[in-house]
Amino acid sequence: DTAVSQTPKYLVTQMGNDKSIKCEQNLGHDTMYWYKQDSKKFLKIMFSYNNKELIINETVPNRFSPKSPDKAHLNLHINSLELGDSAVYFCASSQGGQNGNQPQHFGDGTRLSIL
Amino acid sequence: DAKTTQPNSMESNEEEPVHLPCNHSTISGTDYIHWYRQLPSQGPEYVIHGLTSNVNNRMASLAIAEDRKSSTLILHRATLRDAAVYYCILLAIYNNNDMRFGAGTRLTVKP
């Protein structure tokens, strides 16, 4: 069973559309994250949630809205998609929101392409 | 934020040991040293982490300098599957697991 699973794996859509990426973890972790990896391959954290509460919110346009219905899920909704949103988005999870001593487990990514 | 410096790329031969260095001269006493790797078209994968003492697990060993200003990830016998980008990251206690990736070291393993 996949520990952190994201859907869809690929997402091709037009500029201006609204889309969602779903993430689920079956590890029993209490903290989940979204990262963005751009074309230059730099990975940047976007958000983190601990027990369904927003903990980290980096400088991300407010067109991006994470939603955590429960501890096992953290979905990412993006409004009014722009060309610059094309990237690979990774979901991750870990146990413990403030520890520094816990590894993060990553999904395989969602490759978003904006036409 | 404490930063890390890694070589852009390294090469290794299959079945030989690989030592991947990382400098973190501004590390604070509460920073854990984490290593992740990213294989092509996959998400980052946790490798190992430590605070002060050397650490071993089934994937690798982590050697931490006595002053903690540098560390080395050791792959004891490189395989073709170990070809990846390796990231050395400092993660502070009580900093909400805010993990900042750098450019990492691209490891090429030659058969």
Side-chain angles (χ1 to χ4, degrees), chain B residues 50-96:
Chain B
L51 186 62
T52 55
S53 303
N54 294 343
V55 185
N56 299 300
N57 66 20
R58 63 175 180 81
M59 289 183 71
S61 295
L62 176 60
I64 302 173
E66 203 168 324
D67 63 5
R68 301 212 322 130
K69 293 186 176 181
S70 66
S71 60
T72 303
L73 179 71
I74 303 166
L75 307 178
H76 294 285
R77 286 184 67 203
T79 68
L80 296 178
R81 196 195 171 277
D82 291 321
V85 179
Y86 286 78
Y87 299 98
C88 168
I89 301 164
L90 301 182
L91 205 53
I93 296 173
Y94 303 122
N95 196 28
N96 298 318

Side-chain angles (χ1 to χ4, degrees), chain A residues 4-49:
Chain A
V4 180
S5 59
Q6 300 178 223
T7 54
K9 192 173 175 64
Y10 299 96
L11 185 52
V12 181
T13 189
Q14 292 194 327
M15 213 164 44
N17 285 349
D18 303 338
K19 290 293 178 186
S20 291
I21 307 172
K22 295 185 177 181
C23 179
E24 176 182 5
Q25 54 95 4
N26 63 5
L27 297 167
H29 289 164
D30 61 5
T31 306
M32 295 185 71
Y33 312 80
W34 277 107
Y35 289 82
K36 179 181 180 181
Q37 187 166 39
D38 60 25
S39 56
K40 295 182 180 177
K41 303 297 186 184
F42 285 107
L43 261 163
K44 292 184 181 178
I45 191 165
M46 300 172 69
F47 304 101
S48 82
Y49 270 71

Side-chain angles (χ1 to χ4, degrees), chain A residues 29-33 47-56 68 71 74 94-98, chain B residues 96-97:
Chain A
H29 289 164
D30 61 5
T31 306
M32 295 185 71
Y33 312 80
F47 304 101
S48 82
Y49 270 71
N50 175 254
N51 285 317
K52 300 198 304 175
E53 287 192 25
L54 183 64
I55 301 297
I56 296 173
S68 182
K71 284 196 306 183
L74 181 62
S94 70
Q95 183 58 32
Q98 296 190 31
Chain B
N96 298 318
N97 277 348

Side-chain angles (χ1 to χ4, degrees), chain B residues 5-7 10 19-24 35 70-73 88 105:
Chain B
T5 304
Q6 301 177 250
M10 290 185 64
H19 290 235
L20 296 161
C22 181
N23 287 322
H24 28 78
W35 283 82
S70 66
S71 60
T72 303
L73 179 71
C88 168
T105 296

Side-chain angles (χ1 to χ4, degrees), chain A residues 54-67:
Chain A
L54 183 64
I55 301 297
I56 296 173
N57 184 357
E58 280 300 296
T59 307
V60 176
N62 57 14
R63 298 181 294 104
F64 290 78
S65 53
K67 286 185 173 48

